[in-house]
Amino acid sequence: MKLGLAIYFLLLSLFVGFTQPITIEGEFKQWHRVILTLDGPGTSEDATDNPFSNYRLDVVFTSEQGTSYILPGYFAADGDAANTGAVAGNKWRVIFTPTETGRWTFKVAFRKGENIAAVSYKDDPGAGKKASRLDGYAGDFTIKESDKIGVDFRSPEKGLLLFDGGRYLRYEGSGNYYLKAGQGSPETFLAYDEFDDVRDLKGNFLHSYDVHKAHYQEEAIDYTWKNGKGKNMLGAINYLSQQGVNSQYVILTTLKGDGNDSWPWTDPEDFTRFDCSKLDQWNKVFSYMNDKGLLLTALLFEAENEQMLDHGEALGLERKLYYREMVARFAHLNGLVWIISEETRLYHKFPPEYNSKRMAHLAAMDPYQHAVGLHNGDINGEDYKDTPEFTYFALHASADNWDQVHSKMLYRINEAKRRGHPWVVFFDECISAQYGVKTDEDDPDHDLPRREGIWGTLMAGGGGVSWYYGYKHRQNDLYCEDFTLRENMFKQTKTAIDFFLNNDIPFWEMENRNDLVDNGRCFAKENDTYLIQLSGATFANLYLEKARTYQVKWFDPVGGGPLQDGTKNRISGKGTHAIGRPPGDPTKEWIVLIQRAENVADERVLVEEKGGQVEIEVASLPLSEGWTIESGKEDSKVVEYVVWKGEDHAVQPGSGLIEVMIKIEQEGRYVFTLTGGGGIDETASSIWIRFPNAANFYGEKDAASRIYPAGLGKTPTPKEGIGKDGWLSVSPRKTPNGKWGSYVEENYPVFVEFDEPGVYTLQLSGRSKGHLMSGIYLELLPLSE
């Protein structure tokens, strides 16, 4: 008898071992969804013992590198509710996004108790009692590298989009920064007629997105539900992705709000029970958004309903359950930001600390620490006061015209700077309802939203925009069905974002510096990169703090295309400089990109200093008009001379300009030598020479017979021997000891000083007709000389 029982229990244990109480599904790659489904207690959405409040499923995931995440789980009905519409079952689920490759272990904590779901695992991991034999269950799996490419948030270049303490969100995969080209309407995006139990309580409208059936691609079949439902919405997402849109603004709860048509609960009067099938369908749509490169900008409430839970208290059971359920179902998304409420006003009778408490609780619940944002109701209100928990400011401009956007963005960015607590600031609802973005038919050029909306935001240091459609236009913020009607707006937004991303612009290190220009707007990393936005009046002057050489390029923000040359390709030297004129219509809008020359590809010759020596054969340089090459003898050797054949320019330098880039590794004082003799006709004797971005370039009085006269250790007076705008009239000739030297005013040897390693510009210009030169040499002087 005892032996028989032993065999029975052995067989039973083997049988139980093969029943697989946990299934693990997914592609098992970094940044991809890994889904754990547990066989747990059987229950239903309307069970007396509420599965959403009286059960708490958490799973702790740990990588082999020691990274750990605590993921809340949720009741999943029969495990396929999106397709079956099930309201009951014994499936419980956790969706995990592994952030690292290699082996991950996991351990299940499955507890039961009255309202236990409102108590976090971190605060009390042992709360309640075991809800299942799976409490304490452990396992592992291995994650490989991602194979996705392009805009997909699962690609190695993307991954989690996180706040890292700066003004821009950043991809954890590559470290690159994100700029938003967002779709901000309709706010009733989820009022889609193919979701389960979707109702418009106002009784007048549900979306079908019929136009976008043509944009559906069969590759999205796994994101449909109930034998192909959802294709129109998925087609709309695919269309937006193709237009370069990379965010969708979604209000998760419009109950009692403007739309009164979207909510996650089974009953709009009971905020403790959630609709399993509808939320699974939402998850399919949100996952497809991410896979097509669209950030989910998830607003948890709107102005009209933000206080409807817990009788308006800051945090209670209903709000805690809501936060937990949204995190459990959607925090796995790589591209996700939370906004505590659209147009938060707290009805002007609740303290600002309410937002602080709510944000802190949500942030603690989210294992991935997605950005948590605040969308302001009053532009100069105090809703953000003493709220360090939020990292994302969604600006509602509340303005009467587009011209106020730039200043209102600056107000928020500077407020963050003043408080010492940075925010990512997005322009998420453009101005007042009547001025939302019109259709292409009603506003073909979109001049104001382009110039003031997207460019005004980016030039202030904002992270991008979401386009809001207002209430007074066709296809507006509630009823928009056809996104193709604003295709030109999407195109111009993509043009702006691509300009920043494709031209090596270090925007994350730049800040608004309108004070540096006398016209237009300026966004700058000073002494490195400057952007100037000009509209109509294209004359502008830029102040440069240091003597550097900069490349000047022009960009068309309307038509896009490559960078273009204007009337000035370079500006050099400290002080105020005219940036030139654009290559096209000066009455149009233009963006001017001014970058330090050594940071960009340069067609001019680059010569490198080696061991304190620089040697340049002048005949090897690209010559400008007025110069020719002739052969002659120098020190009994046949050499090639470059000869100035132009007119004499004894007063004004600049004719026949030749430029050379010199890369200096050793800072210090160099003696400058020009070889070649006085001239073919023995009367011409000098050339104009300048180093516009060197620390100093000068001639210095002393004995004319020596290249290194005694006593040159003293600091020279810059005015000695200096010509107009830093140009020197330099003559090559031999000293009595047979060595070549260069002089100004007959007895001033020539020197150039570089105060740091870098790339410097040497400019040569015709002065004396017939002047010839063969070589240029720089030699680093010892510190004592």
Side-chain angles (χ1 to χ4, degrees):
M1 184 68 175
K2 290 181 179 179
L3 181 59
L5 284 174
I7 294 173
Y8 170 80
F9 284 117
L10 175 61
L11 292 173
L12 180 62
S13 66
L14 290 173
F15 175 78
V16 171
F18 284 108
T19 59
Q20 295 295 323
I22 294 183
T23 60
I24 309 177
E25 302 171 286
E27 294 188 53
F28 298 98
K29 296 172 184 174
Q30 187 181 25
W31 310 125
H32 289 57
R33 296 172 282 277
V34 174
I35 302 171
L36 275 66
T37 304
L38 292 68
D39 290 340
T43 184
S44 67
E45 292 174 350
D46 60 356
T48 302
D49 193 6
N50 189 336
F52 304 103
S53 62
N54 296 340
Y55 288 85
R56 190 187 72 188
L57 170 63
D58 296 282
V59 178
V60 181
F61 295 86
T62 306
S63 74
E64 59 185 85
Q65 289 83 16
T67 302
S68 184
Y69 296 99
I70 302 171
L71 271 292
Y74 60 92
F75 172 56
D78 67 349
D80 192 26
N83 292 307
T84 66
V87 300
N90 71 332
K91 303 300 182 184
W92 298 76
R93 181 163 288 159
V94 171
I95 307 178
F96 172 57
T97 298
T99 57
E100 299 171 3
T101 59
R103 179 174 174 264
W104 285 83
T105 60
F106 66 87
K107 187 174 182 179
V108 175
F110 204 169
R111 312 296 293 177
K112 186 178 187 305
E114 185 175 1
N115 295 332
I116 191 173
V119 180
S120 75
Y121 175 89
K122 290 180 181 179
D123 291 338
D124 191 353
K129 61 181 181 180
K130 286 190 175 185
S132 163
R133 63 191 176 90
L134 292 177
D135 182 62
Y137 185 95
D140 63 29
F141 50 85
T142 300
I143 296 298
K144 298 179 180 179
E145 293 182 355
S146 172
D147 59 351
K148 300 300 185 289
I149 59 174
V151 298
D152 196 323
F153 271 92
R154 298 171 296 175
S155 73
E157 294 297 305
K158 298 294 193 294
L160 280 174
L161 187 62
L162 298 175
F163 175 75
D164 71 348
R167 281 202 330 271
Y168 301 91
L169 297 179
R170 193 173 193 177
Y171 294 106
E172 190 171 359
S174 63
N176 293 333
Y177 290 90
Y178 169 84
L179 291 174
K180 180 158 70 174
Q183 161 88 343
S185 287
E187 68 177 54
T188 57
F189 182 80
L190 292 178
Y192 175 52
D193 59 11
E194 292 191 324
F195 285 135
D196 282 1
D197 194 32
V198 63
R199 288 173 277 165
D200 178 8
L201 297 185
K202 289 187 175 180
N204 57 9
F205 184 79
L206 288 176
H207 294 289
S208 64
Y209 302 118
D210 286 337
V211 171
H212 295 289
K213 183 177 181 179
H215 301 119
Y216 170 78
Q217 294 182 338
E218 200 59 29
E219 66 179 16
I221 189 65
D222 290 341
Y223 299 91
T224 63
W225 57 92
K226 292 189 173 180
N227 298 316
K229 284 189 176 183
K231 290 183 178 180
N232 291 358
M233 177 172 267
L234 299 175
I237 292 169
N238 183 55
Y239 168 78
L240 293 171
S241 176
Q242 291 173 341
Q243 303 309 309
V245 175
N246 61 12
S247 172
Q248 177 64 48
Y249 182 98
V250 178
I251 300 180
L252 303 180
T253 300
T254 66
L255 188 64
K256 301 182 181 180
D258 292 330
N260 203 10
D261 47 23
S262 304
W263 56 85
W265 301 285
T266 59
D267 186 332
E269 300 298 326
D270 185 347
F271 305 134
T272 67
R273 296 175 183 274
F274 296 85
D275 190 325
C276 292
S277 62
K278 183 195 292 184
L279 288 174
D280 278 357
Q281 292 159 9
W282 285 9
N283 187 48
K284 283 176 173 284
V285 170
F286 296 160
S287 297
Y288 186 63
M289 277 186 190
N290 264 205
D291 297 352
K292 299 301 289 185
L294 273 71
L295 168 74
L296 172 62
T297 300
L299 292 91
L300 293 161
F301 292 98
E302 58 178 313
E304 295 82 1
N305 62 32
E306 68 172 334
Q307 306 306 319
M308 72 181 183
L309 303 189
D310 305 311
H311 305 287
E313 287 300 313
L315 278 172
L317 175 64
E318 293 172 345
R319 194 174 296 267
K320 288 179 178 180
L321 294 182
Y322 178 48
Y323 286 176
R324 178 182 174 88
E325 197 74 16
M326 296 302 98
V327 168
R329 289 178 174 274
F330 308 130
H332 67 86
L333 296 166
N334 290 310
L336 168 68
V337 295
W338 305 107
I339 297 181
I340 205 75
S341 173
E342 182 229 24
E343 295 178 2
T344 184
R345 292 188 180 93
L346 299 176
Y347 285 145
H348 302 287
K349 60 184 179 181
F350 296 96
E353 301 86 76
Y354 274 30
N355 277 335
S356 181
K357 292 177 181 178
R358 292 166 181 171
M359 290 180 178
H361 186 83
L362 179 62
M365 179 65 63
D366 184 346
Y368 299 106
Q369 294 297 287
H370 295 94
V372 178
L374 182 149
H375 184 255
N376 63 301
D378 297 317
I379 185 62
N380 295 318
E382 295 293 306
D383 292 324
Y384 60 85
K385 185 177 180 181
D386 300 323
T387 312
E389 290 77 13
F390 78 87
T391 52
Y392 166 18
F393 197 96
L395 177 66
H396 177 203
S398 300
D400 292 330
N401 60 69
W402 287 96
D403 293 341
Q404 299 179 37
V405 173
H406 181 71
S407 62
K408 291 182 184 297
M409 288 296 298
L410 275 176
Y411 175 85
R412 290 304 183 194
I413 291 168
N414 290 334
E415 177 68 9
K417 190 184 300 184
R418 184 189 68 77
R419 293 167 73 249
H421 177 71
W423 304 324
V424 179
V425 183
F426 290 114
F427 185 29
D428 272 347
E429 186 168 342
C430 54
I431 64 176
S432 59
Q434 61 181 324
Y435 295 109
V437 174
K438 300 177 183 179
T439 65
D440 293 345
E441 181 180 352
D442 295 332
D443 182 14
D445 298 325
H446 298 291
D447 289 335
L448 286 172
R450 178 192 62 252
R451 184 180 69 234
E452 305 299 335
I454 181 63
W455 283 101
T457 290
L458 296 174
M459 295 296 290
V465 301
S466 287
W467 295 121
Y468 163 77
Y469 299 158
Y471 287 105
K472 296 192 176 184
H473 306 315
R474 296 184 305 116
Q475 295 276 316
N476 62 31
D477 185 48
L478 290 181
Y479 305 121
C480 180
E481 287 281 281
D482 182 359
F483 300 138
T484 68
L485 298 178
R486 292 172 170 86
E487 187 167 304
N488 192 34
M489 188 74 263
F490 299 147
K491 177 182 177 181
Q492 294 191 53
T493 309
K494 184 178 186 298
T495 295
I497 300 301
D498 286 349
F499 169 80
F500 277 81
L501 298 181
N502 297 339
N503 287 295
D504 297 322
I505 298 173
F507 56 90
W508 58 93
E509 296 178 328
M510 300 168 72
E511 62 181 345
N512 180 266
R513 290 299 306 275
N514 291 343
D515 59 299
L516 296 178
V517 293
D518 61 355
N519 181 37
R521 298 168 179 153
C522 182
F523 189 50
K525 176 184 177 183
E526 203 164 6
N527 304 312
D528 184 271
T529 302
Y530 302 83
L531 280 182
I532 301 173
Q533 180 188 6
L534 296 172
S535 300
T538 50
F539 291 100
N541 294 289
L542 170 68
Y543 176 77
L544 299 176
E545 181 189 32
K546 291 188 177 180
R548 302 281 185 267
T549 295
Y550 295 86
Q551 173 183 273
V552 181
K553 293 287 186 179
W554 295 74
F555 178 74
D556 177 3
V558 180
L563 299 176
Q564 303 177 58
D565 289 326
T567 57
K568 252 188 186 181
N569 294 332
R570 297 287 189 277
I571 55 176
S572 300
K574 180 178 179 179
T576 300
H577 298 267
I579 63 173
R581 298 282 279 163
D585 185 351
T587 65
K588 287 176 50 177
E589 295 170 40
W590 291 95
I591 302 297
V592 191
L593 173 58
I594 299 172
Q595 292 175 295
R596 191 169 172 182
E598 55 263 43
N599 294 341
V600 297
D602 200 299
E603 298 177 356
R604 294 171 295 177
V605 174
L606 177 67
V607 179
E608 296 187 9
E609 170 251 314
K610 296 180 181 179
Q613 304 281 335
V614 176
E615 298 184 6
I616 301 171
E617 293 182 7
V618 183
S620 67
L621 302 177
L623 301 181
S624 301
E625 184 178 354
W627 298 97
T628 61
I629 298 178
E630 299 181 10
S631 296
K633 281 192 175 183
E634 185 177 297
D635 296 334
S636 301
K637 296 179 182 179
V638 177
V639 298
E640 287 188 325
Y641 290 106
V642 173
V643 185
W644 175 242
K645 293 291 189 177
E647 298 300 318
D648 288 334
H649 294 284
V651 178
Q652 182 63 47
S655 297
L657 187 68
I658 301 173
E659 291 187 317
V660 189
M661 306 302 289
I662 302 176
K663 186 175 182 180
I664 296 295
E665 298 290 349
Q666 300 183 64
E667 62 190 55
R669 185 184 191 212
Y670 289 71
V671 63
F672 177 90
T673 301
L674 177 68
T675 63
I680 293 175
D681 61 5
E682 299 299 332
T683 61
S685 61
S686 64
I687 181 176
W688 290 112
I689 293 182
R690 180 170 73 162
F691 285 87
N693 59 334
N696 212 343
F697 180 51
Y698 56 92
E700 187 174 56
K701 286 183 179 180
D702 214 301
S705 60
R706 301 175 61 190
I707 293 179
Y708 307 117
L712 286 189
K714 65 181 181 66
T715 301
T717 302
K719 292 182 179 179
E720 291 182 355
I722 286 288
K724 183 177 181 180
D725 294 328
W727 290 96
L728 295 184
S729 172
V730 179
S731 300
R733 72 176 76 111
K734 285 187 177 181
T735 60
N737 60 8
K739 292 184 178 181
W740 281 102
S742 295
Y743 297 88
V744 294
E745 296 185 9
E746 298 186 357
N747 59 353
Y748 290 16
V750 182
F751 301 91
V752 58
E753 294 179 356
F754 306 110
D755 59 1
E756 60 181 349
V759 177
Y760 295 86
T761 303
L762 165 62
Q763 296 178 327
L764 303 96
S765 169
R767 185 178 188 276
S768 302
K769 186 174 182 179
H771 175 85
L772 58 84
M773 55 185 172
S774 58
I776 297 172
Y777 303 89
L778 279 73
E779 182 178 1
L780 179 64
L781 295 174
L783 292 177
S784 60
E785 294 192 76

